Amino acid sequence: METKLYPSRIDLSGEVRRSVVTLLNQTLAATIDLKTQVKQAHWNVKGINFYSLHQLFDEIAGELEDYIDTIAERITALGGLALGTAEIVAHTSLLSAYPLDIVSGTEHLVALADRFATYAQHIREAIAKTDELGDADTSDLYTEISRAIDKRLWFLEAHLHPSDA
C-alpha cells in the first residue's frame, strides 16, 4: 500500500516523512500483534505461577497499548495515516504466529520471550533508520520503546532462569 501523506508544516521533507511513516506503520502492526499475543498468554496461562504471570502479562499488555497509541499519533503528526486494523496487522506483522495450544507458564514465557527478542531487534533497527533519516523525534520515540522492551524481555527471561535453590 502506498504511503499517502497529508500536508504538514513539520520541517522534514515529504520523502523522509513517507519513509518514517512506512516504518512506523510496520512497528504499529508488530506492536498491536505483540499486545494481542501477550493477552493470549494472559488469558490462557495455567500452573503454579498462574497469578503472578497473569498479572505480569496484563501489565505488559497495558504498556504495549500505550506504545500503540504513541506510535499511531506520531504517524498522524507526520501527516500519515495510521494503519492498525486487524486485517492490516495480520498481513504485515513481523512476528511469528502465537501458538494457540499452550497453557503452561513456561511455554508462554518462552513464546513471549522469542517474540519480544524479534520485536526488540526491529525497534533497534528503527532507531538507526530514523536517525539516519534525520528524524530525531521518532528515533527518540523508538529509543524509549527499546528501553522498555529490553526491560520486559529481561523480566520474561528471568522467569526462565533455573533456580539456585
Side-chain angles (χ1 to χ4, degrees), residues 143-162:
T143 300
E144 175 188 343
I145 294 171
S146 179
R147 279 192 298 272
I149 294 304
D150 283 352
K151 181 178 179 180
R152 287 313 188 173
L153 180 55
W154 166 50
F155 277 35
L156 295 168
E157 291 177 332
H159 283 85
L160 297 170
H161 192 276

Side-chain angles (χ1 to χ4, degrees), residues 69-88:
D69 202 46
T70 300
I71 293 163
E73 288 176 354
R74 182 64 183 160
I75 291 167
T76 58
L78 291 170
L81 186 63
L83 306 174
T85 66
E87 180 182 14
I88 295 285

Side-chain angles (χ1 to χ4, degrees), residues 31-66 98-99 102-116 149 152-160:
T31 310
I32 292 169
D33 190 15
L34 186 59
K35 181 207 167 203
T36 63
Q37 291 189 24
V38 171
K39 288 302 279 190
Q40 180 70 20
H42 166 76
W43 295 322
N44 292 292
V45 67
K46 297 188 182 341
I48 192 76
N49 294 319
F50 161 78
Y51 188 72
S52 62
L53 291 176
H54 182 76
Q55 284 188 309
L56 174 64
F57 297 158
D58 202 38
E59 188 177 301
I60 292 171
E63 290 172 3
L64 290 167
E65 182 66 35
D66 290 342
Y98 199 80
I102 61 176
V103 294
S104 82
T106 300
E107 291 172 313
H108 283 296
L109 288 163
V110 169
L112 290 176
D114 289 346
R115 283 145 186 86
F116 267 73
I149 294 304
R152 287 313 188 173
L153 180 55
W154 166 50
F155 277 35
L156 295 168
E157 291 177 332
H159 283 85
L160 297 170

